[in-house]
Amino acid sequence: MVVIGAQVCLIYATAGWYKIQGTRWQEGSALYYALHLDYFAPWPWLSAALAGNALLVLALTYLTVAVQVAFPFTLANRRLKNALLAVMIAEHAGIAVLLGIPFLSLVMIVCDLVFLPTSFLTRLGA
């Protein structure tokens, strides 16, 4: 469990820091361009509807970077960690639906579940 947790932290930290360096992520347009790639558009009408709202695209782009960079640093704070986990799970569900990458999203959601409280996981399993 510790190794999975360390790997997830490494994935999020490196992905977030890599995104910080990209100009599209800095200006907040990375999600906009991803939504216009034909290869990653299982439902073009849904991608176009989201891409049509510039403020939402900007907010989601910056939220993605902020959550990924902050996640490893929030593990000590239980409430903040759980809130970020909910955001990350929602983000991966959105990636699965909007960009048509369900297997990556499912793997990341399962790996995120490692960080949920044990009492919650035992109740979920029962």
Side-chain angles (χ1 to χ4, degrees):
M1 296 294 271
V2 172
V3 172
I4 292 172
Q7 288 177 338
V8 170
C9 285
L10 183 65
I11 288 169
Y12 285 145
T14 55
W17 286 108
Y18 179 75
K19 287 174 182 160
I20 285 175
Q21 298 172 20
T23 57
R24 299 281 185 233
W25 289 97
Q26 289 175 3
E27 65 188 23
S29 63
L31 180 59
Y32 175 82
Y33 289 110
L35 291 171
H36 283 86
L37 295 172
D38 290 336
Y39 187 75
F40 293 111
W43 294 284
W45 59 270
L46 184 59
S47 296
L50 179 61
N53 188 339
L55 186 59
L56 182 60
V57 169
L58 178 73
L60 288 174
T61 301
Y62 284 144
L63 180 69
T64 298
V65 175
V67 169
Q68 286 183 349
V69 170
F71 183 76
F73 300 109
T74 62
L75 294 179
N77 187 330
R78 185 176 182 175
R79 289 184 183 171
L80 188 56
K81 174 195 69 163
N82 291 339
L84 283 180
L85 279 173
V87 172
M88 295 302 288
I89 290 171
E91 178 183 319
H92 288 300
I95 290 170
V97 172
L98 288 170
L99 299 179
I101 311 174
F103 298 113
L104 169 71
S105 298
L106 181 61
V107 167
M108 290 309 297
I109 289 171
V110 169
C111 289
D112 287 343
L113 296 178
V114 169
F115 294 103
L116 289 175
T118 307
S119 60
F120 176 77
L121 292 175
T122 54
R123 280 184 281 150
L124 188 65

